[in-house]
């Protein structure tokens, strides 16, 4: 019996938030293809790891970058994804195409949102010969109008709701699949991270934060803990979140890149961990939609948030000692 469904989602996009002006070619080469001298570490590396673990993934394509890169490039990307048996869905960062002063979807009127999603839906159909079944708003920027706009465009699934995130204006769930205005919401799943700050053996304070189940945000231990607690507490869904550049390290200017071997290993180990579990099933969004339409009951769980308590302790003395050693090393290397 399946206790937990995992959906792997990858936002496929460039470095829209950096302040450095880069050429379109350099951005798509680095942030989407991840082309380095040592190999390719963008969306195709994610495909490679998913393929080696025999699991399907869903790539949310930011259609609002169409003018920046052109139809041919996006068609090539989509066809590469499909050729490996993975799926293409709709992602929208409207500020990149419509109005740079309005970054989030909720900043657009209902009629504007309907047109944005209509245009995006048609682009996905043009590049893949299939309409998308799911949408994710860039920066989780949905509001109530978004559900109406999705309904008007026959897109049955949204995956934008991120509990506690300030950009999200329609937070309707934490970790539970729900129906809202006839749209199925698969949330960005989260856990609560506790961190203990200590001075020697003395606890100074305890910190708590909401963390999404993202390869870049969570440790391997935390991702595994989410899985274990979800199975134990009847949380039925995990949205394993990534970006096309998740397996890359880069500086703030987005000009210097290197493979992120730690995250590459983390992804491979996590997928190996879950595929060995007979109580876990990894599915695509189209597969989910078919199963849900036939019988939603297996997907209906609780809305709890797993707690990863004290898995990452922060020791102030050890931190200061490491900083002193680093400064000394820099001085001696000059």
């Amino acid at each position: 019996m399946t206790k937990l469904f995992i959906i792997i989602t990858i936002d496929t996009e460039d470095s829209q938030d950096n302040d450095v002006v880069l050429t379109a070619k350099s951005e798509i080469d680095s942030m989407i293809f991840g082309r380095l001298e040592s190999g390719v570490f963008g969306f195709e590396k994610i495909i490679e790891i998913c393929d080696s673990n025999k699991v399907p993934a869903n790539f949310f394509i930011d259609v609002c970058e169409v003018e920046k890169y052109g139809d041919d490039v996006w068609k090539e990307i989509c066809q590469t994804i499909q050729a490996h048996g993975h799926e293409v869905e709709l992602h929208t960062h409207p500020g990149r195409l419509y109005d740079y002063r309005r970054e989030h979807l909720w900043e657009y009127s209902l009629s504007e949102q309907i047109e944005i999603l209509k245009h995006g839906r048609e682009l996905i159909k043009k590049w893949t010969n299939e309409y998308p079944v799911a949408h994710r708003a860039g920066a989780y920027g949905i509001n109530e109008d978004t559900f109406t706009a999705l309904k008007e465009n026959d897109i049955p699934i949204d995956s934008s709701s991120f509990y506690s995130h300030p950009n999200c204006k329609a937070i309707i769930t934490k970790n539970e699949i729900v129906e809202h205005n006839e749209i199925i919401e698969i949330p960005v799943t989260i856990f609560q991270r506790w961190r203990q700050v200590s001075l020697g053996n003395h606890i100074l304070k305890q910190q708590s934060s909401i963390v999404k189940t993202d390869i870049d945000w969570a440790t391997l231990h935390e991702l595994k803990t989410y899985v274990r607690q979800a199975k134990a507490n009847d949380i039925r869904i995990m949205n394993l979140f990534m970006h096309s550049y998740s397996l890359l390290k880069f500086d703030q200017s987005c000009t210097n890149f290197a493979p992120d071997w730690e995250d590459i290993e983390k992804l491979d180990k996590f997928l190996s961990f879950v595929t060995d579990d007979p109580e876990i099933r990894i599915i695509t969004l189209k597969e989910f939609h078919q199963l849900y339409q036939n019988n939603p009951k297996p997907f209906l769980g609780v809305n709890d948030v797993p707690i990863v308590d004290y898995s990452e302790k922060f020791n102030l003395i050890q931190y200061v000692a490491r900083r002193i050693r680093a400064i000394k090393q820099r001085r001696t290397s000059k």
Side-chain angles (χ1 to χ4, degrees):
M1 176 184 174
T2 301
K3 288 189 175 181
L4 178 67
F5 294 91
I6 296 179
I7 298 176
I8 301 170
T9 62
I10 303 100
D11 289 1
T12 307
E13 60 188 34
D14 68 16
S15 55
Q16 75 282 0
D17 294 325
N18 76 84
D19 296 326
V20 178
V21 178
L22 302 174
T23 67
K25 185 179 187 306
S26 66
E27 282 201 275
I28 197 166
D29 278 352
S30 56
M31 305 299 288
I32 297 176
F33 285 98
R35 292 167 174 156
L36 306 177
E37 288 185 5
S38 54
V40 178
F41 297 91
F43 80 96
E44 290 163 296
K45 187 65 175 180
I46 296 173
I47 288 176
E48 178 188 317
I49 296 172
C50 288
D51 286 353
S52 68
N53 286 279
K54 299 180 180 179
V55 298
N58 307 266
F59 291 80
F60 282 86
I61 302 295
D62 183 12
V63 295
C64 296
E65 296 176 35
V66 60
E67 290 188 0
K68 189 173 185 179
Y69 301 127
D71 276 304
D72 291 343
V73 171
W74 283 116
K75 187 173 182 179
E76 174 193 345
I77 291 169
C78 291
Q79 289 182 344
T80 299
I81 292 166
Q82 289 181 305
H84 287 264
H86 305 291
E87 293 184 359
V88 174
E89 301 298 345
L90 174 62
H91 190 38
T92 54
H93 277 275
R96 305 183 194 180
L97 183 60
Y98 297 95
D99 183 351
Y100 72 92
R101 296 165 298 182
R102 293 184 290 167
E103 178 183 353
H104 306 106
L105 200 57
W106 55 261
E107 296 178 89
Y108 294 79
S109 67
L110 173 58
S111 61
E112 287 174 318
Q113 288 195 39
I114 290 172
E115 288 305 310
I116 290 168
L117 295 181
K118 180 181 179 180
H119 184 210
R121 181 174 182 263
E122 292 300 327
L123 285 173
I124 295 296
K125 176 65 162 60
K126 181 180 180 181
W127 298 332
T128 67
N129 291 320
E130 295 180 354
Y131 283 116
V133 300
H135 164 262
R136 174 174 291 148
Y140 328 105
I142 56 171
N143 63 2
E144 285 297 324
D145 284 343
T146 308
F147 293 94
T148 302
L150 288 165
K151 185 178 175 182
E152 287 290 320
N153 281 286
D154 295 319
I155 301 173
I157 300 169
D158 182 71
S159 186
S160 309
S161 184
F162 184 174
Y163 179 77
S164 82
H165 200 286
N167 289 342
C168 189
K169 305 303 180 183
I171 297 173
I172 56 174
T173 179
K174 297 175 182 177
N175 284 327
E176 183 183 18
I177 294 173
V178 296
E179 290 189 45
H180 188 72
N181 196 14
E182 301 182 42
I183 299 299
I184 306 164
E185 181 64 38
I186 301 176
V188 176
T189 49
I190 57 170
F191 62 90
Q192 190 173 22
R193 172 188 287 160
W194 282 91
R195 176 174 290 174
Q196 183 172 294
V197 180
S198 60
L199 181 61
N201 294 323
H202 301 284
I203 298 174
L204 298 180
K205 64 178 178 178
Q206 296 171 347
Q207 297 174 328
S208 173
S209 57
I210 295 295
V211 181
K212 62 176 174 172
T213 51
D214 185 322
I215 286 294
D216 287 323
W217 285 37
T219 66
L220 179 60
H221 166 76
E222 288 170 332
L223 293 173
K224 288 182 175 181
T225 301
Y226 180 97
V227 167
R228 295 188 183 105
Q229 291 196 25
K231 287 171 55 182
N233 298 315
D234 202 30
I235 299 169
R236 305 314 304 273
I237 190 70
M238 180 185 193
N239 191 335
L240 183 64
F241 199 109
M242 282 180 276
H243 287 86
S244 50
Y245 45 81
S246 284
L247 305 184
L248 290 157
K249 287 183 176 180
F250 46 92
D251 58 13
Q252 193 170 7
S253 67
C254 296
T255 53
N256 298 299
F257 290 82
D260 191 334
W261 295 112
E262 182 180 343
D263 278 358
I264 290 169
E265 182 181 28
K266 185 196 307 181
L267 176 60
D268 189 47
K269 285 186 174 181
F270 178 75
L271 293 181
S272 178
F273 168 73
V274 294
T275 52
D276 286 340
D277 191 329
E279 294 179 325
I280 294 174
R281 183 173 175 182
I282 302 176
I283 59 175
T284 67
L285 285 159
K286 289 183 173 66
E287 186 180 4
F288 161 80
H289 189 231
Q290 292 173 348
L291 293 170
Y292 188 91
Q293 284 182 308
N294 291 333
N295 180 18
K297 189 174 180 180
F299 297 97
L300 303 180
V302 300
N303 205 24
D304 288 349
V305 177
I307 297 174
V308 183
D309 52 347
Y310 314 126
S311 64
E312 290 187 351
K313 296 181 180 180
F314 180 85
N315 189 296
L316 188 59
I317 291 176
Q318 293 177 357
Y319 172 76
V320 172
R322 286 197 301 269
R323 293 296 300 158
I324 291 172
R325 284 197 301 270
I327 291 170
K328 287 181 178 178
Q329 287 172 356
R330 283 201 298 269
R331 286 174 178 172
T332 56
S333 64
K334 289 182 179 179

